[in-house]
Amino acid sequence: MNSVHHGTGCYVSFDTSLCDGCTRCVKGCPTKALRVRHGKVVHMQSACIGCGNCLRICHTGAVRAATTDLSHLKKSRISVALVTPILYAQFPGVLPRDILKGLKRLGFHHTVDMSYFFEMFQCATEEFVRENREVGKAPWPLISPVCPVVMRLIQTRFPSLIPHIHPIMRPVAIMAKQVTRILSKHYGVNEGFISMYYINPCPTKKGDDPKTPDQSFTNGGPYAMGICDIYTQLAKEVEHVRSLDDIPMTFSSYEFEQCTSGDGLLWGMVGGEIVASHIEKSLSVSGIDETVSMLEKIEMGLFRDIEYIELRACTEGCIGGALTAIDKYLAKSACQRMINLLGTGKRLNRDRINRLYEKEWFFSRRTEQGGLVSEGFAGHSFTIEEMRKIDGLVQLINGRDCAACGAPDCRTFAEDVIRGDASADDCLVLRARGLTVAQVTEYMNR
Amino acid sequence: MNRLRRTYPVRHGDFIHAGEASIHVKNTLKSLSYCPDLVRRVAICGYEAEMNLVMHGGDGVLTVVIAADEIRLEVADTGPGIENTELAMQEGYSTARDEYREMGFGAGMGLPNMKRNSDEITVDSSPGQGTAVTMVFSVGGRCP
Ligand SMILES: Nc1ncnc2c1ncn2[C@@H]1O[C@H](COP(=O)(O)OP(=O)(O)OP(=O)(O)O)[C@@H](O)[C@H]1O
Ligand SMILES: [Mg+2]
């Protein structure tokens, strides 16, 4: 089964037997990582940032996220579900605790809510901004490290902005670090005995290929499970839980195990990261096109007067993730209602967080080797000579980005031709005008 | 003659699309592997000049000529022109209207910024004759 899916070890894979070559995903890919060749999709993994647009667009089911399924639980000795509030938003009207109980019935030994760790992240972030505001030394604006798609976008297309990435560990990494430590102590076992499963709204992990661990986690980090992959089964269990009077929570001895908060729920939505924080000069942006446009402007030296920018690749934020199960606006309304119910406000012991902060506990190792370091500009690079030929070919085609050639637009097609990955013959416009490859080549070399 | 020349029309008063030409130039330079610092300087200068055209000038064109040893950027418009170019180059000098100041412009830092970030700058303008700002960036000079 997996063999027809080429591209394992990346965020998504493609089943070419299901692909009908429609080019819709090609046109929808923000990094131009897809082409159709010989009627089938071709995925250029090095350009993929895992945004999941192709998953949303494909109507034949040929695209699949690199996630782990529930059967994997059987292999783990101590399994932990790392739960984001986005999961709760998929069940309007259901209490978070019933969803966590449902997860236990699916076979997880522990369920850990992320709200607590959002708060830790937020405290550390406020501290960092405050400290740097006083001495005026941070490279403003700081860019939120939370959205992994944005991180890869910066790494591959905007490496010059890497110094702007806020150096605090992502909440999920803080969570993994804490949970591993506490549970291994509780059970008296090696950390390797604990398997964590991040219930994910987006195709954020490069499969479970041990050769490509997510650098923001210790020991390779959790496995990724898509919300939509477990949704039907979980919904059944949740239904069951709710039909009973009460199933007591077992193992609820950890303070964070079931402490959902209004502030935590805010995080699923645009602006949630900053609305509850004490950073005045901040902005939040969502949607991949808007995010790219914002990064372009920051790279132009704009927004120096802003301290913190929250960027989310998905429209409306994480509730709009490609692996969510219900409509993002329904999910948003569910979040809003639940926030009303739970209220907002911080609960953590600030002094404790500040002590951890002083010990540099929160700082990610991203600047270290193997972390998020510049790979240079990962877009294709050309010589001036080649660029002139590309400009010439685009002019000659004078097309309308029809994508019939299998590239998303005429310029990308021209780049492919110059690189030798496509032939001038693939262009319908040139063919319709009766131009031969030799004639096209001659024109370009003029 | 190994040069790449591109022109981009820029419209006076069009704040929605203002800056797009400079972003395009920046991305071209990135895919031509120029050093990040040079790319940043060209982009900043292009943006400032574009904004001046959009705010103070008239319709015009941004032209970039890219070569291995130097990058030349020209932003020319057919607007009202500048009375005293020497004065305009001074930090803090601005004739920006209040509505623009409210948008965060009008600090009188655009032209000085262009001067600082380019290796050579010429402002060719007189009242009624439009304005042409030409900047040259030498490759290798300030790049590692
Ligand atoms: N293209 C132009 N056409 C007409 N006048 C111009 C043009 N460019 C600059 N000027 C004049 O020069 C002055 C100084 O320009 P400069 O870019 O340094 O500052 P600014 O545009 O007023 O403010 P800032 O760039 O800091 O937002 C402007 O206020 C304007 O009077
Ligand atoms: Mg100006």
Side-chain angles (χ1 to χ4, degrees):
Chain A
M1 184 68 191
N2 251 341
S3 58
V4 293
H5 268 259
H6 69 270
T8 44
C10 195
Y11 312 105
V12 287
S13 60
F14 294 81
D15 184 342
T16 44
S17 71
L18 294 174
C19 174
D20 65 2
C22 74
T23 72
R24 273 178 247 194
C25 62
V26 172
K27 293 200 118 189
C29 176
T31 57
K32 303 188 201 304
L34 300 169
R35 302 286 188 277
V36 166
R37 298 209 200 287
H38 311 294
K40 298 290 179 190
V41 67
V42 176
H43 182 212
M44 291 173 290
Q45 292 187 15
S46 63
C48 180
I49 56 170
C51 73
N53 261 6
C54 47
L55 274 163
R56 293 187 181 95
I57 292 169
C58 183
H59 59 118
T60 66
V63 192
R64 206 186 291 161
T67 47
T68 305
D69 57 54
L70 284 168
S71 66
H72 197 276
L73 288 183
K74 293 196 200 83
K75 290 187 235 164
S76 68
R77 274 166 280 200
I78 303 164
S79 60
V80 189
L82 306 183
V83 181
T84 74
I86 293 107
L87 181 67
Y88 310 141
Q90 311 300 303
F91 296 91
V94 178
L95 287 174
R97 75 147 202 254
D98 289 339
I99 295 161
L100 297 183
K101 283 177 189 166
L103 283 171
K104 290 238 165 124
R105 288 184 55 87
L106 282 182
F108 291 98
H109 298 116
H110 295 275
T111 55
V112 184
D113 180 278
M114 209 188 246
S115 304
Y116 185 91
F117 305 97
F118 285 143
E119 237 179 273
M120 285 178 89
F121 175 87
Q122 211 144 36
C123 291
T125 298
E126 285 172 14
E127 193 55 27
F128 184 82
V129 170
R130 193 190 54 74
E131 202 177 81
N132 282 279
R133 185 190 293 138
E134 280 164 10
V135 291
K137 72 172 185 217
W140 311 118
L142 290 170
I143 296 173
S144 160
V146 170
C147 176
V149 178
V150 172
M151 290 302 97
R152 283 187 293 270
L153 189 60
I154 291 175
Q155 189 174 16
T156 56
R157 316 293 296 190
F158 299 93
S160 72
L161 296 182
I162 289 178
H164 288 260
I165 297 172
H166 179 44
I168 300 291
M169 273 191 288
R170 295 165 56 204
V172 65
I174 296 179
M175 171 153 139
K177 188 173 169 179
Q178 277 279 66
V179 172
T180 312
R181 195 177 56 82
I182 290 171
L183 286 182
S184 66
K185 204 152 86 187
H186 175 83
Y187 286 104
V189 295
N190 186 287
E191 294 187 357
F193 282 78
I194 299 159
S195 305
M196 286 183 291
Y197 298 85
Y198 181 25
I199 318 286
N200 243 355
C202 60
T204 200
K205 288 208 69 195
K206 284 193 174 187
D208 295 320
D209 181 352
K211 289 190 295 293
T212 56
D214 185 327
Q215 294 295 339
S216 53
F217 300 107
T218 47
N219 69 21
Y223 297 100
M225 270 184 191
I227 288 178
C228 58
D229 294 331
I230 65 165
Y231 188 71
T232 351
Q233 278 159 286
L234 179 57
K236 233 181 273 162
E237 298 301 341
V238 168
E239 199 53 43
H240 180 76
V241 168
R242 297 181 78 202
S243 71
L244 301 178
D245 282 343
D246 196 30
I247 304 179
M249 283 295 275
T250 47
F251 287 115
S252 56
S253 47
Y254 316 108
E255 54 180 317
F256 47 77
E257 189 147 7
Q258 47 178 322
C259 66
T260 316
S261 73
D263 279 20
L265 281 155
L266 283 172
W267 276 65
M269 300 185 289
V270 187
E273 188 183 345
I274 53 183
V275 70
S277 82
H278 291 288
I279 304 168
E280 272 167 42
K281 289 176 255 167
S282 52
L283 284 180
S284 57
V285 174
S286 77
I288 189 77
D289 293 343
E290 289 84 346
T291 295
V292 168
S293 153
M294 179 53 76
L295 292 172
E296 296 279 15
K297 288 175 186 158
I298 300 172
E299 201 175 43
M300 304 260 286
L302 303 181
F303 298 107
R304 287 284 155 81
D305 55 333
I306 301 289
E307 289 172 334
Y308 196 84
I309 302 196
E310 171 200 299
L311 294 169
R312 297 287 189 270
C314 295
T315 305
E316 293 289 334
C318 303
I319 48 168
L323 301 185
T324 54
I326 71 166
D327 178 85
K328 56 178 171 288
Y329 297 106
L330 286 178
K332 186 177 174 181
S333 134
C335 270
Q336 287 164 335
R337 261 178 296 148
M338 215 157 2
I339 291 165
N340 268 340
L341 200 70
L342 297 173
T344 52
K346 305 233 190 314
R347 305 160 305 174
L348 289 193
N349 178 330
R350 194 81 188 207
D351 291 339
R352 215 191 108 223
I353 304 293
N354 282 351
R355 273 201 304 279
L356 284 176
Y357 182 87
E358 295 302 325
K359 284 194 268 177
E360 310 224 319
W361 191 88
F362 288 106
F363 288 85
S364 66
R365 297 172 303 153
R366 202 168 273 130
T367 45
E368 282 177 29
Q369 208 199 359
L372 186 64
V373 289
S374 171
E375 295 173 355
F377 178 57
H380 284 288
S381 88
F382 296 101
T383 63
I384 292 175
E385 192 60 35
E386 289 167 331
M387 194 67 94
R388 277 166 56 104
K389 289 182 186 174
I390 293 165
D391 281 10
L393 184 51
V394 172
Q395 240 167 37
L396 179 67
I397 297 170
N398 189 21
R400 296 292 176 268
D401 298 332
C402 72
C405 60
D409 50 67
C410 299
R411 175 160 288 274
T412 307
F413 170 70
E415 291 175 2
D416 287 351
V417 171
I418 298 305
R419 255 197 318 270
D421 293 342
S423 156
D425 232 13
D426 299 331
C427 174
L428 285 186
V429 180
L430 294 178
R431 282 223 304 269
R433 294 220 299 269
L435 289 166
T436 64
V437 172
Q439 282 170 315
V440 173
T441 310
E442 200 199 307
Y443 180 91
M444 283 193 304
N445 289 337
R446 271 199 326 212
Chain B
M1 225 287 288
N2 202 3
R3 290 168 181 280
L4 180 77
R5 186 170 182 279
R6 289 214 181 127
T7 58
Y8 304 86
V10 186
R11 279 205 312 271
H12 177 63
D14 184 356
F15 282 91
I16 305 280
H17 299 284
E20 280 178 9
S22 303
I23 288 177
H24 207 274
V25 168
K26 171 179 71 109
N27 289 338
T28 303
L29 294 176
K30 270 163 88 176
S31 45
L32 288 168
S33 304
Y34 284 93
C35 88
D37 179 61
L38 179 75
V39 177
R40 190 184 55 83
R41 289 193 285 120
V42 174
I44 288 174
C45 290
Y47 179 79
E48 290 286 5
E50 256 190 275
M51 288 321 291
N52 277 357
L53 179 155
V54 171
M55 262 195 300
H56 316 292
D59 289 351
V61 177
L62 181 148
T63 306
V64 62
V65 181
I66 301 167
D69 58 338
E70 71 167 35
I71 293 154
R72 194 172 271 273
L73 194 64
E74 187 198 70
V75 181
D77 68 61
T78 54
I82 303 174
E83 191 104 39
N84 183 341
T85 53
E86 235 165 81
L87 195 60
M89 293 291 284
Q90 282 177 18
E91 283 191 14
Y93 177 81
S94 172
T95 61
R97 295 203 305 267
D98 282 351
E99 62 193 272
Y100 294 145
R101 288 176 197 268
E102 250 147 58
M103 289 162 73
F105 302 108
M109 290 304 290
L111 283 165
N113 223 349
M114 290 183 240
K115 189 178 159 81
R116 191 168 43 249
N117 282 295
S118 60
D119 293 305
E120 219 181 291
I121 181 167
T122 342
V123 182
D124 188 6
S125 181
S126 53
Q129 298 298 306
T131 304
V133 180
T134 310
M135 289 162 278
V136 181
F137 305 83
S138 52
V139 180
R142 279 198 251 176
C143 283

